[in-house]
């Protein structure tokens, strides 16, 4: 989670929503990402997708079956589905997202028996994951409308 938090801080320094993600395989980080939606003007520029893409390139396979996706914020439905498509073995996140997180919204694709791949998803609450987001949005609100 420490590396994902470092990436979240990097995102914040680039005026991006501070979310960072890493993919871990056999104890080694094989993929990294942070939000880049504003920088790239890409609606798919989520931290998880960046980390999954890099991990697939690093490992030479889109099947990340023995990999754990670690992310600072609860994945949205798109990112949780991407984790399912990538065949990760587990997703670990550090802060809930009640307005955009897949689990909070009831999208539990990782447990759906109709899909061909299921995996564990765990919240490992981390105060810094929540704090970096609160600080970012507090600063944004103080700056006023864009």
């Amino acid at each position: 989670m420490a590396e994902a938090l470092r990436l979240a801080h990097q995102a914040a320094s680039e005026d991006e929503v501070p979310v960072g993600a890493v993919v871990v395989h056999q104890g080694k980080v094989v993929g990294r990402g942070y939000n880049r939606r504003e920088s790239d003007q890409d609606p798919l520029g989520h931290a998880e997708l960046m980390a999954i893409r890099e991990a697939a390139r690093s490992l030479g396979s889109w099947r990340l079956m023995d990999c754990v996706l670690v992310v600072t914020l609860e994945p949205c439905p798109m990112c949780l589905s991407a984790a399912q498509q990538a065949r990760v073995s587990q997703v670990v996140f550090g802060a809930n997202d009640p307005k955009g997180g897949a689990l909070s919204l009831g999208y539990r694709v990782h447990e759906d028996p109709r899909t061909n791949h299921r995996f564990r998803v765990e919240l490992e609450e981390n105060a810094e994951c929540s704090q970096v987001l609160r600080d970012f949005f507090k600063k944004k609100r103080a700056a006023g409308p864009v």
Side-chain angles (χ1 to χ4, degrees):
M1 188 63 77
E3 178 65 5
L5 273 163
R6 185 190 70 73
L7 293 163
H9 286 287
Q10 176 68 37
S13 76
E14 295 179 19
D15 206 28
E16 295 280 356
V17 174
V19 178
V22 295
V23 175
V24 179
H25 179 255
Q26 296 178 348
K28 180 182 174 193
V29 174
V30 295
R32 291 172 175 80
Y34 60 89
N35 276 1
R36 295 194 43 88
R37 289 181 6 165
E38 297 298 332
S39 299
D40 295 345
Q41 288 301 295
D42 180 1
L44 305 180
H46 290 215
E48 299 94 327
L49 298 183
M50 304 295 167
I52 287 169
R53 281 187 190 119
E54 186 175 290
R57 283 192 300 270
S58 295
L59 297 173
S61 176
W62 63 268
R63 292 175 185 90
L64 305 179
M65 295 188 73
D66 296 320
C67 295
V68 177
L69 174 63
V70 179
V71 61
T72 57
L73 183 64
E74 178 183 349
C76 72
M78 173 180 68
C79 291
L80 191 63
S81 293
Q84 191 270 342
Q85 290 296 311
R87 310 294 196 264
V88 301
S89 60
Q90 182 178 5
V91 173
V92 175
F93 63 97
N96 284 314
D97 184 0
K99 294 182 180 179
L103 302 177
S104 294
L105 296 172
Y107 297 104
R108 304 185 69 82
V109 66
H110 65 290
E111 295 176 340
D112 192 329
R114 297 169 296 175
T115 64
N116 61 344
H117 178 71
R118 284 168 293 288
F119 53 99
R120 291 189 335 241
V121 176
E122 293 180 34
L123 168 63
E124 288 186 8
E125 285 192 69
N126 183 304
E128 189 177 351
C129 292
S130 299
Q131 192 62 50
V132 68
L133 287 157
R134 278 194 299 275
D135 292 347
F136 177 81
F137 286 111
K138 182 178 179 181
K139 182 178 172 184
K140 283 292 203 187
R141 284 189 296 277
V146 178

